[in-house]
Amino acid sequence: KAKAACALWGSALNDDNQVAIAAAGGIPVLVSLARDGSDEGKEIAAWALWNLSVNADNDVAIESAGYLG
């Protein structure tokens, strides 16, 4: 899970990928990992969510999923 989150972390630097990751349901998965994953998984998921939150719609979706960072 941490390795997948790491791939999303890097991919989420791109505006188009931010939209695609959210559309594919990546935000709830990353929020779950940030809450319940290993220490490494939590850290990587948090960084991926931070990158995704640059997009205003994603920011709302992240907050709606209950993640406040």
Side-chain angles (χ1 to χ4, degrees), residues 36-68:
D36 304 320
S38 66
D39 288 344
E40 178 186 25
K42 288 177 181 179
E43 181 177 358
I44 293 169
W47 282 112
L49 289 165
W50 187 83
N51 285 348
L52 289 169
S53 72
V54 172
N55 176 293
D57 291 333
N58 288 350
D59 191 43
V60 170
I62 291 165
E63 289 184 26
S64 293
Y67 188 74
L68 302 176

Side-chain angles (χ1 to χ4, degrees), residues 16-42:
D16 292 333
N17 289 344
Q18 291 169 359
V19 173
I21 291 167
I27 290 174
V29 174
L30 287 167
V31 168
S32 177
L33 182 60
R35 285 186 179 151
D36 304 320
S38 66
D39 288 344
E40 178 186 25
K42 288 177 181 179

